[in-house]
Amino acid sequence: MNALVVCPECGHEWVPAEGAGEGAAPAERIVKDSVGNVLSDGDTVVVVKALKVKGSPSGIKAGTKVRNIRLVDGTDGHDIDCRIEGFGAMQLKSSVVKKA
């Protein structure tokens, strides 16, 4: 059944199954770690594979604990903003971390 709903004030017509329309809150983005756990701001994660870092001879070793992460909308897939001791602020991909 494709019944249209009409707003009595402005005359806008829509199909109720299409969603809430204007004024609806955007859907919250869900970020998952390498094993499928849902991540949230403030979580502590562990790096699961060694990462090379430009300008650093050693890189980040697997097993490095990262505290107090912040989720961001990265354009290149980097969706975690964090500070790693000894390296400073950087962005990580959720596919290389596991929730601690």
Side-chain angles (χ1 to χ4, degrees):
M1 179 173 172
N2 284 338
L4 290 175
V5 177
V6 180
C7 175
E9 294 180 83
C10 67
H12 177 71
E13 299 178 353
W14 73 95
V15 178
E18 289 180 350
E22 285 187 48
E28 188 173 325
R29 197 170 73 104
I30 297 174
V31 177
K32 294 186 178 184
D33 66 2
S34 61
V35 293
N37 297 321
V38 176
L39 297 174
S40 60
D41 287 344
D43 282 346
T44 299
V45 296
V46 176
V47 178
V48 294
K49 71 180 228 179
L51 304 172
K52 295 179 184 176
V53 178
K54 284 186 178 179
S56 172
S58 61
I60 300 171
K61 296 179 182 176
T64 302
K65 190 177 277 192
V66 181
R67 293 181 174 88
N68 199 19
I69 65 169
R70 192 168 48 112
L71 302 179
V72 295
D73 289 329
T75 57
D76 55 353
H78 295 87
D79 43 14
I80 296 174
D81 199 14
C82 63
R83 179 174 299 279
I84 299 178
E85 196 169 317
F87 290 96
M90 64 176 48
Q91 291 186 332
L92 298 172
K93 292 184 177 185
S94 58
S95 61
V96 298
V97 298
K98 180 177 79 170
K99 193 170 184 177

